[in-house]
Amino acid sequence: MSSSFHDRGNGRPTASRPPQPSGRESRPRAPKAEVGEVAYLEVVTVNETGAFLDWGHPRDLLLPYGEQRFRPTPGKRVLVMIYQDQQSRPVASQKLDRFVQDEASGYVAGDEVVLVIADRTDLGYKTVVDHRFWGLLYQDGVTRPLRRGQRVPGFVKRLREDGRLDLSLLPPGPARLDVVGEQVLKALRESGGYLPLSDASPAHVIKARLGVSKNAFKQAIGRLYKRRLIVIEASGIRLVPGASSDPA
């Protein structure tokens, strides 16, 4: 019986595997994903059995033809769920809807979760939450560029009545403003201590420069001003020389 892997350790392929590309088995291997996780993995090779993915283990991971949504190309990446087949062997599937559920349970607003970016939509990003549920990360809650397959920490914005999860990259409440405040301070330091952004700046300009909404920006700079970390001027904000972001 053939294995679901391609052996890197001894350099000998199993009965249904092509030879290991030279040099790959000599490099230290750091696991990139585990069973039960959604991951964006590189296609190593394709043969009559299926595609084989580099998941950071000594043996490549099989993506059978029956679990493919399209024919993978070596060198490209695919988003897959890693699961165990009936013989308890780790295999991959591109058919995420078989494993990731639409309706979530047990979450409340503010819960911190692990997000894997799946697809861009008109509203934002379709995202896998904790490798188990689908959720939506709204565009107005995206504070930095995201790419397919990226794994990022996030937060539950709300669990809707239909069981769907609305998500955010920022924590709720005061903690959210602390994160935005740190982004503002970082941008100030990188720009020499001054940013031409104020309450009068258009929302799209603030979003383009800092990746946050105008409302969050205004609240954050208000908190920074009260902590005497910045000076608010007519046309922008200025970092107070020698100011520390550590709480007083």
Side-chain angles (χ1 to χ4, degrees):
M1 180 181 297
S2 64
S3 168
S4 289
F5 304 112
H6 179 203
D7 195 341
R8 297 177 190 267
N10 56 26
R12 296 193 306 271
T14 60
S16 59
R17 305 298 181 262
Q20 181 71 29
S22 61
R24 288 171 61 87
E25 71 277 1
S26 63
R27 296 202 304 266
R29 308 300 300 162
K32 300 175 182 179
E34 302 292 344
V35 172
E37 294 184 352
V38 173
Y40 199 45
L41 303 177
E42 182 181 349
V43 180
V44 176
T45 190
V46 178
N47 68 7
E48 69 281 359
T49 306
F52 295 89
L53 315 178
D54 178 7
W55 65 322
H57 291 259
R59 297 176 177 181
D60 291 329
L61 181 67
L62 173 64
L63 172 58
Y65 280 113
E67 296 296 336
Q68 296 175 12
R69 293 177 57 196
F70 55 85
R71 292 296 178 258
T73 302
K76 301 295 186 179
R77 291 180 178 268
V78 290
L79 191 66
V80 297
M81 168 63 80
I82 304 171
Y83 71 103
Q84 287 187 329
D85 66 9
Q86 293 181 346
Q87 286 74 44
S88 298
R89 299 172 301 187
V91 290
S93 175
Q94 286 182 281
K95 300 177 180 180
L96 299 188
D97 286 330
R98 288 179 46 209
F99 307 91
V100 183
Q101 302 176 45
D102 286 323
E103 296 184 17
S105 60
Y107 290 95
V108 297
D111 282 349
E112 187 168 1
V113 291
V114 174
L115 308 179
V116 178
I117 306 302
D119 293 300
R120 183 75 180 265
T121 74
D122 292 339
L123 296 177
Y125 294 87
K126 186 177 182 180
T127 304
V128 180
V129 181
D130 288 339
H131 305 283
R132 296 183 297 158
F133 304 107
W134 289 115
L136 181 60
L137 182 60
Y138 287 92
Q139 185 62 49
D140 62 4
V142 176
T143 57
R144 59 185 184 275
L146 297 174
R147 64 184 185 276
R148 179 177 172 83
Q150 185 175 359
R151 186 182 297 192
V152 296
F155 299 87
V156 173
K157 195 172 184 179
R158 63 169 178 157
L159 177 61
R160 292 162 33 183
E161 291 183 0
D162 61 4
R164 305 294 180 94
L165 287 169
D166 290 343
L167 309 166
S168 174
L169 293 180
L170 296 175
R176 171 173 171 267
L177 297 180
D178 288 340
V179 172
V180 176
E182 286 303 318
Q183 292 176 226
V184 172
L185 291 175
K186 182 175 183 290
L188 279 166
R189 297 186 187 104
E190 292 175 347
S191 62
Y194 178 80
L195 283 175
L197 298 176
S198 68
D199 288 357
S201 298
H204 72 274
V205 173
I206 295 173
K207 183 65 176 290
R209 182 63 181 84
L210 298 173
V212 301
S213 68
K214 182 172 181 175
N215 184 55
F217 169 75
K218 291 170 62 176
Q219 293 182 62
I221 64 173
R223 289 163 63 91
L224 294 175
Y225 175 77
K226 289 180 180 179
R227 294 167 59 190
R228 299 180 181 178
L229 297 177
I230 65 170
V231 175
I232 300 177
E233 301 178 355
S235 59
I237 56 176
R238 191 175 301 276
L239 187 66
V240 173
S244 170
S245 59
D246 294 333

